[in-house]
Amino acid sequence: MQYGFSDRMAYMNGTATREIFKLLSRPEIISFAGGLPATEALPTAEVREIAYEVLSKEDSYKLLQYGATEGYVPLLKACKEYIGEFGVDVSGPADMLIISGGQQGIDLMCKSFLNAGDTVLVEDPTYLAALQIFNSYQAKAVGVKACKDGIDVSDLEEKIKKHKPKFLYVVPTFSNPTGKTYTGGNRKDIAAVTAKYGIPVLEDDPYSRLRFSGKKIDSLYSYAYEKNVVYITSFSKVLSPGLRVGVAAGDPEVIRKMAICKQGTDLHTCLLSQAVTAEYLARGLLAPAVQNSLPLYRERKQAMAEAIKKYMPEEFEHTDPDGGLFVWGVFKGCGIDTEKLLPHAVKRNAAYIQGSVFYADGSGRNTLRLNYSNATPGKIDEGMKALGIFFKETIAKEKK
Ligand SMILES: Cc1ncc(COP(=O)(O)O)c(C=O)c1O
């Protein structure tokens, strides 16, 4: 059969990563490639009880009917308060849209703004799946230089002038892939420069609540001078990714467009998931559950930092995040190509993600991302030992 697939499919080739992921299902592999919240942090018993209760009410049939695209009202109300904790002040439900995870928020922003050939600015490196979504809209992602405090604002300004982007996409707190957090000053500067040129910003914030050290920082949204920041967050990393619930907030004019786009995508987010999330929030379960999970994330991040120190070659420099799920590493002064080496590392029963997939232009071949949330400290030590030996051997061979 000769299929007439859309032109956009040409931009959506399966990545090498997907092939590697198939290998990772082998039980002997210790994988630092994923990005899942810790299994131990999933509140199965509470969700079971809440699901039973919300389905036991007299009008529970409503949860099995169609619902409003904008979202389930009790959840919208709860979300106003929830996002307010990070300085995302909204005047009411018109400023919000319940989304089926942050991933859908990115997609709806793209669907609302992008024509083929448009440009989106991103931090270099940035969230891999966002790059894939931009590709699916036949848009071009252009990387803005990263700096210690966040993104390089003069490079941002230059690239705004040069590329006239439709919007800027950033993950300012415990970024995926680097684990880095933008300073307040950097957020302020980004807000100022994007307002100056009338550029919308998509702030993607799945990780703010997974802070195990350092001081809380408010959203970039809270620094905005104009209503140009759309904020998205989701309950995936603090409650359950399987429920597929998140929220977008911003200028009602933009939110309205996103809601229209959502109608074509899934009509509305699963009502049962929304009701469970709303009730979980109403019972005040989220904050203590997150609080209880933080020592586990802290312990695993520390195990990763210690294992890196113990086993990785001196050419390896890495971030030391205060939260989130990822450590980012760069090999300096050697010829390590993490993309080429990944299949060989997997043969040693340990895996990472090559950093190049997080760069808009596919560069960064000397970088990698390590996820620490889904392995015990013992497994982290074992896996990093295997990777450390492998990289040290590779560098030694190269020097011969
Ligand atoms: C930065 C970022 N954005 C969005 C997502 C998508 O998550 P979800 O759709 O489950 O909210 C992820 C998941 O890892 C992520 O790291």
Side-chain angles (χ1 to χ4, degrees):
M1 171 83 191
Q2 198 68 27
Y3 293 105
F5 291 119
S6 66
D7 291 347
R8 86 177 60 87
M9 290 313 296
Y11 297 82
M12 296 173 71
N13 291 334
T15 58
T17 314
R18 207 168 304 157
E19 297 308 310
I20 298 285
F21 264 104
K22 284 187 205 151
L23 290 176
L24 300 188
S25 55
R26 294 203 327 243
E28 66 276 19
I29 306 249
I30 300 172
S31 173
F32 304 119
L36 311 182
T39 307
E40 297 86 336
L42 299 174
T44 318
E46 289 83 350
V47 170
R48 183 191 305 121
E49 187 191 308
I50 290 174
Y52 183 79
E53 282 190 25
V54 296
L55 282 173
S56 305
K57 289 186 183 151
E58 207 184 316
D59 61 354
S60 61
Y61 68 90
K62 288 184 182 162
L63 299 180
L64 303 183
Q65 262 302 359
Y66 287 113
T69 302
E70 288 73 13
Y72 179 65
V73 172
L75 181 61
L76 282 165
K77 284 187 183 151
C79 280
K80 183 174 181 319
E81 198 181 316
Y82 181 74
I83 59 180
E85 288 167 25
F86 282 85
V88 183
D89 287 325
V90 294
S91 44
D95 300 3
M96 287 186 288
L97 174 68
I98 300 299
I99 48 182
S100 302
Q103 189 81 358
Q104 186 178 67
I106 305 169
D107 186 67
L108 297 177
M109 183 79 177
C110 291
K111 211 171 174 183
S112 306
F113 279 91
L114 298 180
N115 294 313
D118 280 344
T119 295
V120 179
L121 294 184
V122 298
E123 179 183 357
D124 239 350
T126 195
Y127 176 45
L128 162 63
L131 292 175
Q132 289 169 336
I133 298 173
F134 304 147
N135 269 340
S136 75
Y137 287 90
Q138 295 163 274
K140 186 174 177 330
V142 171
V144 176
K145 276 187 217 152
C147 65
K148 181 172 74 29
D149 290 342
I151 54 175
D152 179 333
V153 180
S154 41
D155 192 47
L156 172 63
E157 182 159 14
E158 220 169 89
K159 287 186 172 145
I160 289 176
K161 286 198 255 178
K162 183 167 172 202
H163 297 283
K164 314 227 167 346
K166 277 297 184 66
F167 62 87
L168 165 71
Y169 167 79
V170 280
V171 188
T173 310
F174 310 137
S175 144
N176 177 359
T178 65
K180 191 177 82 178
T181 292
Y182 300 5
T183 61
N186 193 249
R187 287 167 199 242
K188 207 167 164 190
D189 292 346
I190 294 169
V193 92
T194 54
K196 179 174 164 192
Y197 293 94
I199 304 296
V201 179
L202 179 58
E203 175 179 17
D204 185 7
D205 184 27
Y207 300 114
S208 273
R209 284 164 204 265
L210 290 188
R211 174 181 286 284
F212 41 72
S213 53
K215 263 186 35 209
K216 178 183 170 212
I217 184 154
D218 270 344
S219 59
L220 199 160
Y221 180 105
S222 71
Y223 289 84
Y225 297 85
E226 303 280 340
K227 277 181 155 261
N228 67 322
V229 180
V230 174
Y231 176 85
I232 54 178
T233 187
S234 96
F235 294 95
S236 290
K237 303 302 192 303
V238 289
L239 168 54
S240 150
L243 289 177
R244 309 304 306 136
V245 180
V247 60
D251 187 335
E253 196 181 336
V254 177
I255 293 296
R256 177 84 197 117
K257 289 281 189 284
M258 290 171 74
I260 293 169
C261 292
K262 184 173 164 70
Q263 281 168 8
T265 301
D266 64 355
L267 288 177
H268 60 78
T269 295
C270 168
L271 275 178
L272 180 56
S273 288
Q274 292 191 68
V276 166
T277 307
E279 186 59 23
Y280 190 79
L281 290 170
R283 291 185 186 189
L285 293 173
L286 192 131
V290 171
Q291 206 53 39
N292 285 341
S293 72
L294 293 180
L296 185 133
Y297 286 110
R298 184 187 302 115
E299 183 192 38
R300 291 180 181 187
K301 197 288 303 267
Q302 269 164 2
M304 176 61 81
E306 277 160 27
I308 289 174
K309 199 163 164 213
K310 225 159 60 178
Y311 303 120
M312 288 295 272
E314 59 184 19
E315 289 82 355
F316 186 72
E317 288 178 13
H318 66 98
T319 55
D320 187 19
D322 285 330
L325 307 181
F326 307 106
V327 165
W328 177 253
V330 184
F331 288 95
K332 296 228 166 124
C334 61
I336 289 283
D337 179 334
T338 56
E339 189 171 329
K340 233 169 56 194
L341 292 173
L342 180 54
H344 304 281
V346 171
K347 282 189 195 140
R348 308 282 184 103
N349 291 342
Y352 55 84
I353 292 205
Q354 71 274 30
S356 54
V357 294
F358 301 98
Y359 281 84
D361 64 359
S363 59
R365 294 181 75 101
N366 59 334
T367 61
L368 58 75
R369 189 193 76 179
L370 296 165
N371 165 254
Y372 50 79
S373 59
N374 233 276
T376 59
K379 285 284 171 198
I380 290 174
D381 187 82
E382 194 185 327
M384 288 311 295
K385 185 174 181 184
L387 285 183
I389 292 172
F390 170 67
F391 283 120
K392 278 182 181 163
E393 279 174 16
T394 310
I395 292 171
K397 264 192 229 154
E398 180 199 299
K399 281 186 179 159
K400 263 192 198 161

